[in-house]
Amino acid sequence: MKRVYFLSGCMLLAAAMAARAADDDWGVLKKSVASARQLPLSGTYLHQMSGLLETFRLYRAGDGDGVLERRESLDGPPREIVRTGGDVVGYAPDTKSLAAARLSAMRLFPALLPDEIDGIAQSYAVRRLTGDRIAQKDCQWFELKPRDTLRYGVRLCLENATQLPLKIMTVSPKSDVVEQYMFTDVEFGAPRNRAVLKPHYRLSYPMRTLATQVPESTAADIEVSGLPTGFRLVRAMKRSLPGQADKQVRQLIFSDGLVMLSLFVEPMMGDPRTPRVSSLHGVISTASGHQGDMQFTLVGDLPEQGMSAVARSLKISRP
Amino acid sequence: MKETVSALMDGELEPASARKAVTALHSDESLNDSWNTYHLIGDALRASADLKVDVRRGVAARLAEEPTVLAPRRWLRPVRPRTVGAAAIAASVSLAAVVAWQQLSFTTPSANLVAANQAVPVQVQTGAVADPVDPYVQAHQEMAADQSLMAVSYR
């Protein structure tokens, strides 16, 4: 009997320690979110996706909302992305490069995790892995592992002193690395020469502002169910698509705290579209189909298999 | 005197004369040469297996004349004939670097994932490629880039 008490005591202790370790790990990740956004630095990083490898130089100064950062591509179309607090502007010498800048501004390494990661725990577990060395600095690997097989996992190697992510990998459910970013060199502290924070190119395009001007209407007149657990509606609106001002669609945005999933719903035009799934660089997937007299399009950072599973389980209804 | 040397060789001298002849051989170099030469002739005539050509003195003399070279050895020869080989080595080194980089860039902290990661993601290439200027993708990205959405939903 004593042995049973002892064993169960050990197990409770182990469980408590594991829970505490997980809490610590979430704390470390939160610190890393702040470092990734605000830590002043100068560095060079690689970005690799299927069939693509590019290099950027990144300079950052200031802190809080006063962060000023500029990154420029070292290969491919010349482009710069300048962020002042929450405002992001792309610069390029010609329109073609400006289009490339728009794509590059989608994800601004090392700040790939959302500002608020509290909501992630429902859909992802955090795990501390081995130590490593990147850009001549020691770092610790952490993994955000999805609790189902519909989403990508994320692995981050956080620098030991500052928790700055030195390398971030997006990992598919089959453990394939679909995208990765990595510093090849990084120096902490604001660059001495402030000129490196100023854009050089003539053409500019405002990418985003933290106060988005899209009209907000969270009162959705359709109901959606069948999404993977953890995804919640964060915004619903009626809008026109870029380049199609005359056409109105409903856009519902769902998030699991880490990635976003957009659902576009519109009345069926002509013949029902055949359901299809596609992916852009293996990271963003789209799926389309129809239900009743409505056709829908899903876009999100999910693996293709996950996206097609969502498209199959999705239920759209009018209350 | 050379006759005396010849007689000595043939053992025809009296002990006293023989002793005198040996002393003379030791003191006179030309006699000593003759002694060697006669023995060589004798050996040649008898077709002796011990017949040897005496090169010692010649070699020693030539060696004495040879200047001692104190210059360091040239390790690097003129490069022209080896350029092609060097280029090939450089090419294979850079290939090795590329392969190594590819391997290294896919290494993961978790050992059980290494095997899986050596394969390039397959499901990406088999699927259709979405259009980056697809209006739906653009509309999604406009909103996905807005971090305040995330903050609102979980506060």
Side-chain angles (χ1 to χ4, degrees), chain A residues 251-289:
Chain A
Q251 182 178 6
L252 282 75
I253 301 159
F254 299 89
S255 170
D256 67 350
L258 185 61
V259 295
M260 292 206 195
L261 178 65
S262 282
L263 170 67
F264 299 91
V265 183
E266 56 201 295
M268 192 109 71
M269 306 271 213
D271 295 331
R273 285 185 293 181
T274 46
R276 76 186 177 98
V277 177
S278 61
S279 85
L280 174 64
H281 296 303
V283 181
I284 293 183
S285 297
T286 66
S288 57

Side-chain angles (χ1 to χ4, degrees), chain A residues 155 175 212 234 255 262 266 279, chain B residues 113 117 128 130 136 140 146 153:
Chain A
R155 293 204 196 117
S175 296
T212 312
V234 294
S255 170
S262 282
E266 56 201 295
S279 85
Chain B
L113 297 164
N117 284 332
Y136 295 101
H140 167 73
D146 185 354
S153 63

